[in-house]
């Protein structure tokens, strides 16, 4: 029996020198060492007691019982250790088998990442997150790369009490768009929209129903550069997506003076509560055509001082800008202020291609675009394509330039909001060209200066407590405008969705000169001779005047869905130059829209 056995089964006193239990085994585990240490301590105590006093049988029995318990604990710990060691060996074997079945492929990029060593890179690829809640969006975890496919669909229907140029009733697809947008390499953003329901798809060549189509460079944010087709930065409502307007159609002056989408380049600066954007623009896919009419030389008999030029020359260009400031910008309170301006140089353009400026009001529907109801419109302010005695027409070039300006304001307090804008447009014309065109028999009314204006104001109230202030965004490529409202209780969560009431008054005056309305018509009819009639007819530009009131209700059951209903009444109509019978008319329209955007 060795020393260790003596410790466990001693029947006699232990010698003064003692033996450490740690030396009784070749390899001890932590639990075993603890047990043996306890046993050694007990042995020492027992030894000291034995030499200091007479041993008793009771002490020996107690010591033996303690050592037996310690030995049982050591055996249990050894069994557990063996069990865990077996599991570890099994796991290691499985990993080796998997590694054999899928050997690592060493690539150039891996070697570069690992500094050229044979060890593969341990850095995992960045994860991408996929969302289908609104369209299909794929985005990297660090948000440096993203890609989204979205779109919209508007199904409209309505009736008119007086279908002057439009329809008495019609149901149709107002918009059907698909779009892609995204971000690459952190600083490049892009967007492309195509409108499949565009009425002008066949008339503007290859661009067809293209709407947004641009590239933006954001490396120098808050300074951003943007190139392509985009909203010209003019006005609050004019530069706002129709996904988020509060009525089915934009207001009369917005449709008349708002430039919409144009091809160009812009620079944008952003702050926490302010923005400024300006750019140079030209062609728009919303025009009747992309360029002036095909080239025709100026007839030899037209004097050079008339300023006429062959058609097919330079197309128009714009310089436009908008600045905004929001002194109050909170979750449920907002005060927004803004100014904008646009300089338009028509060059050789006429009403045939630059129709939205040279035929002002001709594209302005009675806030009921699906019914195509139009009550306004000036004659061609550029003197159009002038042709005399069978000679080919040439560009009259009566307009030197056009300056349009606007001011905007919007306030929101809780569920209530008020918004309004004013627009003015000044036409600087060449009086010599106007006189030449009139002398040759072409209808070229007005003098060297023309002024037109319009405004709207409306209020909204969310019956379910939502606030327009929460949807306001400054930091965007189309800054200082409104997006999707935050629905407090959507239908999918047992709520009623969001309900909104709106009331709008809008006015547009496209008359200029001493004689307008019924006075103009009566003077023409009562003129004693042709000279008098010509004088009256050419003294004033009559594009007409209209004032509308619109009552609307919107229901937002879920984010991206909306049902809208609008009733619009023309409170006042002064007839344009070629439709005197519209004086005093009061047409009514009723429209309904079902909308989804994703």
């Amino acid at each position: 029996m060795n020393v260790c056995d003596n410790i466990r089964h001693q029947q006699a006193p232990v010698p003064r020198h003692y033996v450490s239990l740690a030396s009784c085994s070749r390899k001890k585990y932590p639990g075993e060492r603890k047990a043996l240490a306890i046993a050694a301590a007990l042995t020492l105590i027992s030894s000291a007691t034995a030499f200091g006093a007479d041993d008793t049988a009771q002490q020996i029995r107690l010591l033996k019982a303690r050592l037996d318990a310690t030995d049982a604990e050591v055996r249990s710990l050894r069994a557990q250790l063996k069990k865990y060691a077996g599991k570890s060996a099994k796991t290691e074997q499985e990993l080796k088998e998997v590694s054999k079945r899928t050997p690592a492929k060493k690539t150039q990029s891996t070697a570069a990442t690992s500094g050229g060593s044979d060890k593969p890179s341990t850095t995992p690829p960045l994860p991408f997150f996929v969302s289908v809640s609104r369209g299909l969006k794929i985005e990297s975890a660090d948000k440096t790369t993203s890609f989204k496919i979205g779109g919209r669909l508007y199904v409209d229907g309505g009736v008119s009490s007086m279908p002057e140029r439009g329809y008495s009733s019609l149901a149709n697809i107002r918009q059907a768009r698909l779009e892609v947008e995204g971000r690459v390499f952190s600083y490049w953003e892009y967007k492309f929209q195509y409108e499949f329901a565009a009425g002008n798809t066949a008339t503007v060549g290859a661009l067809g129903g293209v709407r947004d189509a641009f590239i933006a460079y954001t490396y120098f944010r808050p300074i951003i550069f943007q190139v392509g087709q985009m909203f010209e930065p003019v006005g609050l409502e004019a530069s706002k997506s129709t996904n988020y307007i509060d009525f089915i159609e934009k207001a009369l002056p917005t449709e008349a003076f708002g430039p919409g989408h144009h091809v160009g380049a812009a620079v944008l600066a952003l702050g926490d509560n302010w923005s400024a954007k300006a750019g140079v623009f030209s062609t728009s896919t919303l025009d009747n055509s992309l360029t002036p009419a095909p080239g025709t030389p100026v007839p030899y008999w037209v004097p050079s001082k008339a300023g006429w030029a062959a058609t097919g020359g330079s197309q128009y260009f714009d310089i436009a800008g908008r600045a905004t400031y929001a002194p109050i910008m909170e979750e449920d309170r907002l005060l927004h202020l803004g100014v904008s301006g646009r300089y338009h140089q028509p060059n050789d353009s006429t009403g045939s291609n630059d129709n939205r400026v040279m035929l002002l009001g001709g594209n302005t529907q009675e806030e009921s675009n699906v019914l195509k109801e139009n009550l306004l419109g000036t004659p061609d302010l550029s003197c159009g394509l002038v042709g005399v005695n069978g000679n080919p027409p040439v560009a009259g070039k009566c307009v030197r330039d056009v300056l349009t300006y606007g001011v905007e304001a919007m306030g929101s307090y809780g569920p209530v909001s008020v918004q309004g804008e004013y627009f003015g447009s000044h036409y600087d014309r060449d009086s010599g060209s106007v006189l030449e065109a009139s002398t040759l028999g072409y209808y070229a009314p007005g003098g060297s200066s023309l002024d037109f204006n319009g405004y709207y104001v409306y209020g909204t109230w969310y019956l379910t407590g939502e606030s327009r202030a929460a949807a306001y965004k400054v930091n965007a490529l189309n800054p200082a405008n409104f997006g999707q409202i935050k629905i407090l209780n959507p239908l999918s969560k047992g709520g009623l969705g969001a309900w909104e009431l709106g009331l709008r008054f809008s006015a547009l005056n496209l008359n200029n000169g001493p004689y307008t309305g019924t006075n103009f018509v009566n003077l023409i009819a009562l003129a004693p001779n042709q000279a008098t009639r010509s004088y009256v007819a050419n003294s004033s530009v009559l594009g007409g005047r209209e004032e509308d009131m619109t009552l609307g209700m919107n229901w937002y059951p879920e984010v991206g869905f909306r049902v809208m209903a609008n009733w619009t009444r023309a409170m006042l109509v002064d007839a344009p130059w070629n439709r005197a019978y519209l004086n005093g008319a009061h047409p009514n329209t009723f429209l309904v829209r079902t909308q989804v955007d994703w």
Side-chain angles (χ1 to χ4, degrees), residues 160-162 164 249-252 255 363-369 371-376 504 546-550 568-571 573 586-589 591:
S160 173
S161 65
M162 195 188 81
E164 199 278 313
E249 300 294 351
K250 297 179 180 181
L252 285 172
E255 292 284 1
N363 69 312
T364 304
Q365 313 300 333
E366 192 204 351
E367 300 174 338
S368 309
N369 285 2
L371 296 174
K372 302 298 181 185
E373 187 64 273
N374 168 260
L375 306 177
L376 304 174
R504 178 176 68 190
E546 183 177 350
E547 295 178 357
D548 288 352
M549 184 183 69
T550 300
T568 299
R569 176 174 174 82
M571 308 296 289
V573 175
H586 298 284
N588 293 270
T589 61
L591 298 180

Side-chain angles (χ1 to χ4, degrees), residues 60-134:
I60 293 174
R61 283 194 297 272
L62 290 173
L63 180 60
K64 182 179 179 181
R66 292 175 182 174
L67 288 174
D68 287 343
T70 303
D71 189 55
E73 183 181 356
V74 169
R75 287 195 299 271
S76 175
L77 290 171
R78 283 179 174 175
Q80 291 180 25
L81 213 62
K82 185 176 181 180
K83 179 180 177 182
Y84 294 142
K87 287 185 178 180
S88 177
K90 183 179 178 182
T91 302
E92 184 176 356
Q93 183 62 29
E94 290 176 351
L95 290 173
K96 287 181 180 180
E97 292 177 358
V98 172
S99 178
K100 290 178 181 179
R101 291 195 299 269
T102 57
K105 294 183 180 180
K106 188 176 180 180
T107 63
Q108 183 178 357
S109 61
T110 302
T113 304
S114 60
S117 66
D118 293 336
K119 295 181 180 180
S121 172
T122 58
T123 303
L126 290 174
F128 279 80
F129 300 98
V130 179
S131 171
V132 293
S133 60
R134 294 193 67 188

Side-chain angles (χ1 to χ4, degrees), residues 250-515:
K250 297 179 180 181
L252 285 172
T254 301
E255 292 284 1
F257 299 112
H261 290 88
H262 281 77
V263 175
V267 179
L268 168 64
L270 298 170
D272 292 335
N273 62 344
W274 63 269
S275 72
K277 186 174 184 179
V280 179
F281 305 89
S282 184
T283 297
S284 172
T285 54
L286 300 177
D287 293 331
N288 277 345
S289 62
L290 298 180
T291 59
T296 301
V298 179
Y300 70 90
W301 46 265
V302 176
S304 59
K305 66 179 182 180
W308 291 1
T311 58
S314 302
Q315 61 187 11
Y316 67 80
F317 74 87
D318 291 345
I319 300 175
R322 176 175 177 244
T324 70
Y325 175 59
I328 300 174
M329 192 173 68
E330 300 175 4
E331 187 72 13
D332 61 348
R333 294 198 309 153
L334 174 68
L335 177 60
H336 161 96
L337 304 171
V339 296
S340 58
R342 176 194 186 197
Y343 173 82
H344 182 82
Q345 172 61 259
N347 292 321
D348 298 335
S349 296
T350 68
S352 65
N353 68 301
D354 191 8
N355 60 297
R356 291 186 298 154
V357 178
M358 297 305 161
L359 294 171
L360 186 61
N363 69 312
T364 304
Q365 313 300 333
E366 192 204 351
E367 300 174 338
S368 309
N369 285 2
V370 71
L371 296 174
K372 302 298 181 185
E373 187 64 273
N374 168 260
L375 306 177
L376 304 174
T378 67
D380 192 338
L381 301 177
S382 73
C383 300
L385 301 176
V386 181
V388 179
N389 298 327
N391 289 286
V394 295
K397 291 195 71 172
C398 286
V399 177
R400 291 195 182 102
D401 53 59
V402 182
L403 180 62
T404 301
Y405 51 91
V407 294
E408 61 194 62
M410 185 274 181
S412 177
Y413 186 83
V416 178
S417 74
V418 178
Q419 178 175 314
E421 292 188 76
Y422 175 87
F423 292 96
S425 194
H426 175 79
Y427 284 68
D428 181 24
R429 303 212 298 173
D430 188 318
S431 57
S433 295
V434 174
L435 180 60
E436 290 282 351
S438 299
T439 302
L440 293 173
Y442 187 79
Y443 184 51
S448 60
S449 179
L450 303 174
D451 289 281
F452 309 106
N453 60 75
Y455 68 93
Y456 75 83
V457 59
Y458 72 75
T460 68
W461 175 29
Y462 279 96
L463 305 178
T464 45
E466 286 78 7
S467 176
R468 286 186 69 200
Y472 183 73
K473 296 180 180 179
V474 174
N475 189 9
L477 294 179
N478 187 24
N481 225 308
F482 297 86
Q484 171 69 50
I485 67 164
K486 297 180 180 179
I487 304 173
L488 298 179
N489 297 293
L491 214 61
S492 59
K493 295 184 178 180
L496 297 176
W499 290 84
E500 178 188 24
L501 283 176
L503 181 65
R504 178 176 68 190
F505 181 83
S506 58
L508 180 60
N509 186 0
L510 302 183
N511 292 332
N512 182 273
Y515 311 113

Side-chain angles (χ1 to χ4, degrees), residues 219-237:
Y219 180 81
F220 299 101
R221 187 182 287 272
I223 305 297
I224 299 172
F225 299 92
Q226 193 174 356
V227 177
Q229 177 157 291
M230 67 197 85
F231 277 119
E232 281 195 24
V234 176
L236 173 60
E237 192 178 50

